[in-house]
Structures are given as structure tokens and as C-alpha cells.
Amino acid sequence: MASSGIEVELLVRGHSDVGEVAREVKASERGTAVAIADLEWREMEGDDCEFHYGDGTNEAQDSDFPTVERSRLQDMLCLLGLETYQVQKLSLQDALQISSDSVRNWAPQAPRDLPWTFLRKLQALNAEARNSTTVVPDMPPDARPVEKESQVEEIVYWDTADDISADIYSFSELPTPDTPVNPLDLLCALLLSSDSFLQQEIVLKMSLCQFALPLILPDSENHGHTFLLWALRGVMRTWWAQSPRGVGGLREDSVVLPRAPTFAFVRMEVSSNSKSQLLNALLSPGHRQRDCFWHRDLSVGTSPREIADGLVEISWFLPSGREDLDLFPEPVAFLNLRGDIGSHWLQFKLLTEVSSAVFILTDNISRKEYKLLSSMKGSATKCYFILSPCRGKRNTNLRLLGRLLPVLRVDHSHVLVKVSSTDSARFVHRLRSIVVHVARSPCKRLSLEDMAHAARKLGLRVDEDGEECQRAKGQMERVTGATRGALRLQGDPGGTGAQVDRELRQAPWAGGPAGVLQDFITGLGSPSPGEKQYFLRWMEWGLAWAAQLRPRQPPEPAAALRAKPGVAADASEPSRAEPLGLEHFLREMGQLYEAESCLVEAGKLPAGQRRFAHFPGLALELLLMGLPLELVDGTTLSAPLRWVTGLLKELHAHLGRRSRLVVLSALGVPGTGKSTLLNTMFGLRFATGRARGPRGAFMQLVTVAESFSQDLGCDHILVIDSGGLIAGALATAGGRFELEVSLATLIMGLSNVTVVTLADTRDIPPAILQAFLRLEKAGHMPSYQFVHQNLHDVPVPGPKPRDRWWLLEQPGDVSRATVQADKQADGLRTLADLAFCDPEKLHIWHIPSLWHGVPPMACVSLGYSEAIFELKRCLLENIRNGLSNPYRSVQQLIELVRQL
């Protein structure tokens, strides 16, 4: 403690760098570090201590008013109905359950609806999710208004008499009945009530909507703040990277890994200029305004923050390779501290540690501000001021600023003045020039992992430091040194299911799993469900990092981040090596289970000596945790019958009385958005993109809330995503076509409803058309929805009857050739001839383009989100009204797998 006192004394006298103090503080001295920040601020206040900064949320003030601070957070949680999730956190599975709200789109009726409305819209990638922080007065259910784009402001109403803990003090600090809840308060309350995996999902969806992401989460209740490294680790972004040799290419990585220049924007005392609006202008091209950071001029943005002060947000600019769009030539990170730096001194210290430059917005520099900023003496971080000087204080500001600039070793070029008469466009242009200049000069370049290291030294908690998370990471590191050769039962990409089965029957049985697979199984066998989930996430990232490809050189940089529909490799060419993924480890487990089952059936192994009979149970746990499981082997396009049957039997035993299943599947050619569509509808985790898209078929389980299962008519929905089917002239060439027909027949035969994604509204993939014909012959009447997504940013009108008749009656050349094989006595048959095709029903959906703008800075378009929600609502309504095939039990599903 003696050394800490010396550091505080040196800092107060102006002889120590903030960074030098931070490096002396160990991670285990978190309480001491917080106390140091408290003492520093109290000393800097000096004889001005009668003036208080901010709203009292800093650590120094918490000790003076602990009851008020605790009641403020607790009252906000009670208001939002989240108080019950402080011990048992809200899980990802809870948030993804299908309920009655999944088929309705009405405004929330009470504050307790707000978190669920926000989660529902965020799952649907709705760019207006932050606008759903308002409610309307209670009214009869049949009079509930539907949300419309024109609804700009709605009002929060609630009855404080319902809250017995409300008193005059806490009520006066919480939003009043005519003030909506601040979106940042809602976000902080929701994150504080969520487990690590739901936090990760929330942050991932926010990134796809181009919202600024939470980096430091304040928690006034427990007098601590959390650096959200784990929550951000799952955010993967793709951008155009220029190599030192001048050769550019696309790079895909987690946002926590790359080192980039970072610029922090903070407020000191009062500023007439909005940081968030300034940051949005800085990140926006001239023709399109982006609202990454929520600000006061947005809908419900003027409501005061109650628990979100101290929040630090982060956003990035990522280049696309187009000079007319790229504001900066490399990735640049921007940080935004909510609240005054005097009330959040610890966060400000961290920002000065990790940033290349800090921009301080203020209207006034008094003696107190001078003392505060003098503590940055000797810091390597460049400091810039954005002033909007108050009238009558010009001379005082200039005098103190003149004394401060030499202390910070900056000149008057670091002082910018922005008043109401300032040309905003020119001011933003000047700011960008400063950012580019600093980024091109030698400056700090830190990754989020580096920032987390600095946060630990300052005493902040890092969410990734938990014991379960770290044990799971260690187990992942033992596994990820594996090569493909370590998994010895993987099928030949060119082989068939029968060939693999023969190899397994003929191969000499050599005992148990290989060492790498055994390490993987050990990770799955953890008694802690949380540690098991951490292990799976670490495995996904570890394998992805190990398999990263070199930057690609796209012929069209502007469109390089877009998938191209209907493009397939020549079936005669050898397949490119598939990156090692979790599915390969689970496939290996399935092959071991299959081989052992064959030996038992052949009488070569007593049933009592089975060693792998528990493998389906392990796989089921992963399915229940939300991991996609392989139904059809992606390399051989064959279904391992015994493995899938064993897995379904385990599922039947686990579900018990709630075993009514509806199977929903998606089929189509590559690049038509199948996986993204399913992920957006149900919050699933199917792999997306040309490099990691599904091969074969994968399944995930979605739970229906018990309160809604009777109304919907099922307890769970089993969602199946398939690999892309070959289209074009190669579709009917070679033996792969027959395998794809079998794949489509199996998936559609198992399904109650199938979504068929089309690259061209005038041609159905031949394998799907052939599967339709086979299923009709077998007496199966599939329910289906055709989906055509606009991939070229061209306005597409809504579905018209003529479009439907064209698809049903006029097959394309390839489809015509395929159907020719099934000619009947009455001539060439078309899809319209099939008994289950009704052109009068809405079976074709036109979905707008996924992106609004050019990736990577594009957000998901509002039209796409709304269209997907309508499609989801239609599918669920069809299930509820019995328009789809009736639900199946797991036992019936097992029998169908055997038949098909």
C-alpha cells in the first residue's frame, strides 16, 4: 500500500504518467486500483469539492450514497421485469423460445415488455430495434396498435402503485410517466441480466445492425465495471486489407484480434456539442448518415440516462476497397464514453492508456478541469480539444488553456472550436484529416485483447477471466493442434455412403478414439454445462483461426463481400480441402458409433462391451445447447443411419411428454441466403458464407414455450439447413446429381414445411424438382414456400399471380430436361401439374437485398428484416392453422429416416 500512496502523490503533483501508475497495479489489486482512482479524483477536486461532476455514478461518490445508487439500478431492473434474472441469468435458450409474440408485431404495452421486444427485433436484425424502447397506454388486446414506420415517439406509462419498493427519492430519479426509457439504460439492464452467451448473441446482432457495441459495462450496484472481451470475441468482420507490398485482399477476423489506431471521444463537464452525433458524422459518407451511436436528437434519445453513465461504446470503420466509399485507408476504432470524465475517472484513465488520440469536448475549462487534465502530463496519447466556449468565460478559458497546452505538450492546432455558426461539413472534414494524420504517424495500435490487459491492471473486471472460461480455453488449446490426419475415419469427398459403410465393415477394429478426439470428448464431458458451452465456442474460434485462408483478390472489390448465386464448381474437379470444423469431430464420433454398431449387429462384439454407446447422448447435449448437428455427411452426401437413429432416440427420451415435432427445412442453390434466412428467423447458428456454408445437412432444435405449444400444435421445431445444390448446365451431369436428388428427397420427406430459395424465379433447381416428383409418387404431400431474394440491389415488386404461374407452368431448360425423365402418358409434366401446388395461394416470397449499402459498413436493410419476419409469421400461422403437414413424434421421425 505504501507504493500506491507514493503513486497517488506523484500523480497529484503532476510528476507521473497515467500509464506508469497503471503498469504498477496488478490484476489482483482491483480494489486498491479503484481506491486509487477515487483518491486521485478527490485530490484533484481540491477546494472545489463543493461542485460535483456528472450524476454521482463514479466510485468516489458511490460510497457516499450507496443506497440511492443501489435503488436506482434495482428500480430500473424492477421496472423492466428483470429483477428475477440477477441470480439465475437470462439464457440464450430463454431468449430464442417461440412464444405468442413470435407471430405478433404490436408495440409493447408495459415496461416489462421492453426487453423482450428489443430482443425480438434484434434477433430479426431490425435496424429500428433501439426504437422499441417506448410503450403505449394499456388497452384491450383487440385494440393493440401495430408498430409502423411513421411512429416516431411513443410514451412510457406505468403505475407506480404497483411497485411497493418505490419511494419519493427513487421515483424522482427514474423516468417519469411522460418520459420514455433511455435505450442505453435498457441495453445495460439487459446485459447485466444476461449470461455470457446471451450477451455474445446481443452484441453480435447489434454489430450486424451497425450499432455501436458496449465495451465497458457499468454496474453501480456492485461498484464495478466489466470489460466485455468475451461478448465481443464472437463478432466476425470482413474488410479490405492492403498489404505492405501493395497487394490487397479480403481479411476476415474477430474484432478482438487486429491491432488498429483507436480514437476516444469524451465529455468534460458540459458540452454543447454531441459526441455521438459528431462520431456518426465522422463515420458517415457525405451522402448517407449512419447512426451507429445513439444520440439525443434521435427518437426517445432525450430521456436522461439512469444507469448507463460510465458505459464505453466502440465502433469501427472498415474499408471496402472502394476509394469513393472508404473514409479511411485502414480499420479505425472509435470509443465513446457516456457521461462526464470527472464522474468516470477510471474509464477515462483506461481510454488514455489505449487510445492513439483522445478528443475532449467541453464548453468550459476552469481550475478544476485544469487540475484534472494536468494529470495526463507525459502521456504518449495525443490530446485534442473541441470547444464551444461559453460567453463571459472566454478570457478564463484562454488563460487556463494557455497554461494547459504546454503541460500536455500540444500546440494550438490541437484546439478546435465548434459553435452554432460553424460549417459542420468542413468541421467533420478537418476531424477526419486529423484522424488520418495520427493513424499514418507512429501511434498506439492496440487490439481489444491488449486493451483488456490494460483494463486488468487498472482493476476492471474482464468477462473472459472466469474459471470456467479459462479452463475451457486451455482444453481447446490442447485439441486445436490437430490435423486432418488425426481424424482417421473421415469419408473420401468423392466417395458414397455405401463405400464408406463398406470400409468401416472391412476395417480392422483398432480400439478407442485417437488422442486428439479423446481430448475433444474430454472437453464435452465436463460436468459443468457452462464450461461445456465455453469449450464449444472456443473450439469454433480456435478451428476458424487455424484455417484462415490467405487474402483473396476479388475481380470486383465493390461486390467482393457479396455471395454470387447459382455459381458452382465443376463436378468433375476435385473439391478444395474443407477447413477443419466441429462437424468433423462429431462426424468422427458418429463413424465410431456406426462401426461399433456394425460389429454388434454382425455378432463380432458383445453388446455389453460397447465403448461408444454414450456418444449420441453427448451429441444431444450439444444440440440442446444450440449447436448445429450434422444430419447428412457433407463430404459423401450420405446419412449415417445408425448414428442419426441413436441421436433421435436420445432426443425422444429427453423430451418425454413434450415430443411433438414440426420439421422445417431449407433447400436451394448456393448463395441464395438459406442459412442467413433461417438464422434471422429463429436466432440459429448455421454456418454462412461461401467458405463456411453448410455441406450436406445440419439440424438445430427450437423450443416452443409451454404457454404457446398447445396453441401452435407442437412442442419443438426441428430446423434443417442443407448445402447448396448444383444449378445450371452441370446440374444433371455426373453421379453427384443423383446424390443431391437423394439429399433433397430425404430432407423434404422429413419436413412438414420446406422453404425453397431460388436464384432465378423462372427455374427451380433440378434436384428439388426431381425430389418433388418422387415424393408425389410416394404419396407424400409437402408444404412449401418459394423464396427469391434480391441479391443485386434492384427494386423488386411484390409477388404477382403471373409470376407464380410462370414458375409453375414454364420450367427452364434444365428443369425441362429433368422433368422429361418423368414424362407421363399425357405428355410433359410441370410443377403446376403436381397435386399439392396451388397457384392461388401465396407460395412465392420476394425478399429484398440483405444489405443496406456496401459491406462491410452496410447494415442489414429494414426491408429484409421486415420481410423475414413476415415469412416467419406466415410459417408459424400455417403450422398453427394446420395448413402444413401435421406434427410428428420423434418415433415417427425415426421411422421416416429409415424409410427414406
Side-chain angles (χ1 to χ4, degrees):
M1 291 299 292
S3 63
S4 298
I6 292 172
E7 290 162 0
V8 173
E9 183 179 356
L10 289 173
L11 183 59
V12 173
R13 292 178 181 175
H15 296 293
S16 178
D17 177 27
V18 176
E20 293 175 2
V21 176
R23 283 189 286 272
E24 296 296 325
V25 182
K26 297 180 181 179
S28 60
E29 297 175 338
R30 181 174 299 154
T32 303
V34 174
I36 288 173
D38 185 353
L39 289 172
E40 289 171 352
W41 175 236
R42 288 179 183 272
E43 291 287 342
M44 282 184 282
E45 281 188 308
D47 55 4
D48 292 328
C49 60
E50 74 277 2
F51 184 85
H52 294 286
Y53 281 88
D55 60 356
T57 56
N58 103 28
E59 292 81 6
Q61 297 174 20
D62 283 345
S63 60
D64 297 331
F65 306 102
T67 305
V68 173
E69 283 303 317
R70 280 195 295 270
S71 66
R72 175 178 295 178
L73 176 60
Q74 286 300 320
D75 285 350
M76 180 61 71
L77 294 173
C78 290
L79 176 69
L80 298 173
L82 297 174
E83 70 278 8
T84 58
Y85 297 108
Q86 298 314 294
V87 178
Q88 184 68 34
K89 299 292 186 181
L90 187 65
S91 71
L92 180 58
Q93 286 73 23
D94 294 333
L96 298 182
Q97 275 194 350
I98 294 177
S99 66
S100 58
D101 289 339
S102 301
V103 293
R104 290 185 292 183
N105 189 22
W106 44 272
Q109 302 298 296
R112 290 174 177 265
D113 297 335
L114 296 177
W116 304 102
T117 303
F118 176 73
L119 285 174
R120 172 170 58 81
K121 288 193 171 184
L122 202 59
Q123 175 189 317
L125 302 180
N126 191 313
E128 296 185 345
R130 294 179 298 190
N131 295 348
S132 52
T133 57
T134 55
V135 295
V136 296
D138 290 334
M139 54 182 60
D142 57 349
R144 287 172 175 165
V146 176
E147 292 174 318
K148 299 179 180 178
E149 293 185 18
S150 59
Q151 290 177 322
V152 178
E153 292 191 15
E154 295 171 309
I155 304 301
V156 175
Y157 288 91
W158 67 89
D159 185 1
T160 55
D162 293 338
D163 185 2
I164 60 173
S165 65
D167 55 44
I168 186 171
Y169 300 105
S170 60
F171 176 74
S172 65
E173 295 175 347
L174 282 172
T176 56
D178 61 346
T179 305
V181 176
N182 189 286
L184 296 177
D185 286 338
L186 174 60
L187 175 63
C188 288
L190 191 55
L191 290 173
L192 288 170
S193 305
S194 304
D195 68 12
S196 298
F197 307 100
L198 180 54
Q199 285 182 351
Q200 211 171 66
E201 184 72 8
I202 290 172
V203 170
L204 174 61
K205 300 295 188 183
M206 289 178 66
S207 74
L208 292 172
C209 294
Q210 289 294 344
F211 298 162
L213 307 181
L215 180 65
I216 298 177
L217 179 65
D219 182 0
S220 58
E221 177 76 10
N222 298 308
H223 309 286
H225 311 291
T226 303
F227 190 95
L228 298 177
L229 181 64
W230 169 264
L232 286 158
R233 190 175 288 279
V235 178
M236 302 293 292
R237 299 298 295 271
T238 304
W239 66 93
W240 183 260
Q242 198 75 24
S243 70
R245 291 177 294 180
V247 179
L250 293 177
R251 177 181 175 183
E252 183 179 30
D253 218 338
S254 167
V255 295
V256 308
L257 297 179
R259 289 185 168 92
T262 303
F263 298 86
F265 283 69
V266 300
R267 172 174 59 82
M268 184 170 64
E269 175 79 55
V270 176
S271 174
S272 302
N273 296 309
S274 167
K275 298 191 314 300
S276 300
Q277 284 179 299
L278 200 56
L279 280 165
N280 289 339
L282 199 59
L283 287 164
S284 302
H287 61 284
R288 178 176 293 170
Q289 175 69 22
R290 294 191 179 104
D291 289 318
C292 298
F293 294 92
W294 189 265
H295 58 83
R296 53 192 168 196
D297 285 352
L298 291 174
S299 171
V300 303
T302 56
S303 54
R305 293 187 298 271
E306 300 296 332
I307 63 173
D309 271 354
L311 173 71
V312 176
E313 298 168 288
I314 186 169
S315 188
W316 291 265
F317 178 85
L318 300 173
S320 64
R322 278 182 50 171
E323 293 183 1
D324 60 325
L325 293 177
D326 289 346
L327 303 174
F328 307 103
E330 62 176 320
V332 180
F334 295 91
L335 301 174
N336 183 13
L337 170 61
R338 300 288 182 168
D340 168 47
I341 61 175
S343 295
H344 308 287
W345 181 239
L346 198 59
Q347 290 94 316
F348 179 62
K349 285 179 66 176
L350 177 63
L351 298 191
T352 59
E353 284 264 331
V354 304
S355 300
S356 308
V358 176
F359 290 82
I360 301 174
L361 283 75
T362 186
D363 287 353
N364 181 46
I365 298 180
S366 65
R367 197 150 49 100
K368 179 179 296 184
E369 284 78 41
Y370 173 81
K371 290 182 180 180
L372 177 66
L373 296 177
S374 295
S375 65
M376 294 177 62
K377 179 181 179 180
S379 172
T381 299
K382 297 177 176 63
C383 185
Y384 292 84
F385 293 91
I386 300 178
L387 302 178
S388 180
C390 299
R391 290 187 177 184
K393 296 186 177 181
R394 180 176 180 273
N395 292 335
T396 303
N397 284 337
L398 289 176
R399 184 176 66 253
L400 291 174
L401 190 60
R403 293 171 54 189
L404 183 61
L405 294 183
V407 174
L408 301 178
R409 294 188 298 181
V410 297
D411 55 30
H412 286 86
S413 66
H414 287 235
V415 180
L416 310 176
V417 177
K418 186 178 187 300
V419 293
S420 58
S421 60
T422 303
D423 187 311
S424 297
R426 293 182 62 184
F427 186 82
V428 170
H429 180 74
R430 186 180 177 189
L431 269 184
R432 286 193 190 126
S433 300
I434 294 173
V435 170
V436 171
H437 173 73
V438 173
R440 286 178 175 171
S441 62
C443 66
K444 294 179 184 176
R445 290 172 177 266
L446 276 68
S447 67
L448 291 190
E449 287 187 333
D450 299 329
M451 295 181 191
H453 186 60
R456 292 184 185 100
K457 289 183 177 181
L458 286 174
L460 276 74
R461 174 182 172 268
V462 178
D463 59 351
E464 209 168 84
D465 290 348
E467 291 184 7
E468 287 186 337
C469 183
Q470 290 303 306
R471 283 199 303 266
K473 181 180 180 182
Q475 186 67 19
M476 175 273 291
E477 291 171 345
R478 285 189 285 273
V479 176
T480 51
T483 62
R484 183 173 300 275
L487 301 178
R488 52 201 173 103
L489 295 180
Q490 297 297 302
D492 179 0
T496 64
Q499 289 171 332
V500 172
D501 192 55
R502 283 198 300 271
E503 290 172 7
L504 291 176
R505 291 176 182 273
Q506 295 168 3
W509 191 236
V516 170
L517 182 60
Q518 185 57 56
D519 287 338
F520 177 75
I521 294 171
T522 300
L524 298 184
S526 169
S528 166
E531 185 173 336
K532 196 177 303 184
Q533 281 187 286
Y534 278 120
F535 173 68
L536 291 172
R537 293 294 173 92
W538 278 119
M539 280 293 300
E540 289 177 338
W541 299 330
L543 293 171
W545 298 331
Q548 277 185 348
L549 301 175
R550 293 181 179 179
R552 302 183 297 272
Q553 177 81 36
E556 301 170 306
L561 305 184
R562 303 171 184 271
K564 290 180 171 54
V567 177
D570 190 328
S572 63
E573 294 180 359
S575 301
R576 187 179 65 181
E578 186 182 2
L580 196 66
L582 277 177
E583 67 272 17
H584 294 93
F585 289 86
L586 291 167
R587 189 183 298 165
E588 190 85 351
M589 292 171 61
Q591 298 284 36
L592 289 171
Y593 181 85
E594 285 268 323
E596 187 179 67
S597 299
C598 289
L599 292 175
V600 172
E601 291 172 8
K604 298 179 180 179
L605 180 71
Q609 295 182 16
R610 297 194 65 165
R611 302 174 56 189
F612 309 126
H614 65 292
F615 278 7
L618 287 177
L620 175 66
E621 291 183 37
L622 308 189
L623 181 67
L624 297 175
M625 289 179 182
L627 184 76
L629 289 190
E630 193 173 53
L631 178 66
V632 176
D633 190 318
T635 57
T636 64
L637 293 187
S638 62
L641 180 60
R642 298 171 187 84
W643 171 248
V644 173
T645 300
L647 180 61
L648 292 175
K649 286 181 178 178
E650 290 288 339
L651 178 63
H652 177 69
H654 173 82
L655 296 181
R657 63 180 182 84
R658 301 198 69 217
S659 61
R660 297 177 301 167
L661 285 178
V662 163
V663 182
L664 185 149
S665 63
L667 287 165
V669 298
T672 51
K674 303 180 308 300
S675 305
T676 302
L677 182 146
L678 294 175
N679 292 348
T680 305
M681 276 202 293
F682 299 108
L684 304 177
R685 296 174 54 213
F686 291 118
T688 59
R690 299 180 67 183
R692 288 192 301 273
R695 300 174 65 178
F698 287 81
M699 57 183 175
Q700 281 191 257
L701 193 67
V702 181
T703 301
V704 179
E706 286 198 52
S707 59
F708 187 54
S709 60
Q710 195 63 35
D711 188 18
L712 188 62
C714 66
D715 302 305
H716 297 84
I717 297 178
L718 189 67
V719 183
I720 300 177
D721 185 24
S722 67
L725 304 175
I726 296 176
L730 294 174
T732 57
R736 184 174 176 85
F737 173 67
E738 184 58 35
L739 291 175
E740 290 195 346
V741 173
S742 299
L743 171 68
T745 304
L746 171 64
I747 292 175
M748 293 169 64
L750 293 177
S751 303
N752 297 83
V753 58
T754 299
V755 175
V756 180
T757 58
L758 304 174
D760 186 340
T761 56
R762 298 187 179 187
D763 204 359
I764 301 174
I768 295 178
L769 185 55
Q770 188 78 359
F772 269 128
L773 297 172
R774 290 186 182 183
L775 288 170
E776 189 197 26
K777 289 180 180 178
H780 187 78
M781 305 286 285
S783 175
Y784 62 94
Q785 297 284 337
F786 287 113
V787 173
H788 171 250
Q789 183 176 337
N790 176 22
L791 300 171
H792 306 290
D793 294 329
V794 177
V796 175
K800 299 179 180 179
R802 183 176 57 188
D803 297 333
R804 294 195 289 269
W805 279 109
W806 185 277
L807 176 66
L808 297 175
E809 291 192 326
Q810 302 293 332
D813 294 338
V814 178
S815 295
R816 185 183 298 276
T818 305
V819 178
Q820 187 70 33
D822 281 78
K823 289 178 63 175
Q824 304 296 318
D826 55 350
L828 177 68
R829 302 191 60 200
T830 65
L831 197 59
D833 295 322
L834 301 179
F836 54 81
C837 290
D838 184 357
E840 297 304 322
K841 293 182 179 178
L842 185 60
H843 288 304
I844 303 176
W845 294 77
H846 289 283
I847 305 294
S849 174
L850 173 64
W851 300 114
H852 178 63
V854 178
M857 294 303 294
C859 64
V860 175
S861 73
L862 185 61
Y864 177 85
S865 172
E866 292 176 343
I868 294 299
F869 179 81
E870 287 303 317
L871 174 59
K872 175 183 178 180
R873 184 160 63 174
C874 173
L875 294 174
L876 294 179
E877 287 288 357
N878 286 349
I879 292 171
R880 181 164 68 173
N881 296 330
L883 300 180
S884 302
N885 293 323
Y887 75 85
R888 300 185 175 101
S889 67
V890 179
Q891 291 284 20
Q892 291 173 318
L893 200 61
I894 292 173
E895 191 59 34
L896 272 175
V897 169
R898 288 172 176 162
Q899 291 175 3
L900 296 171

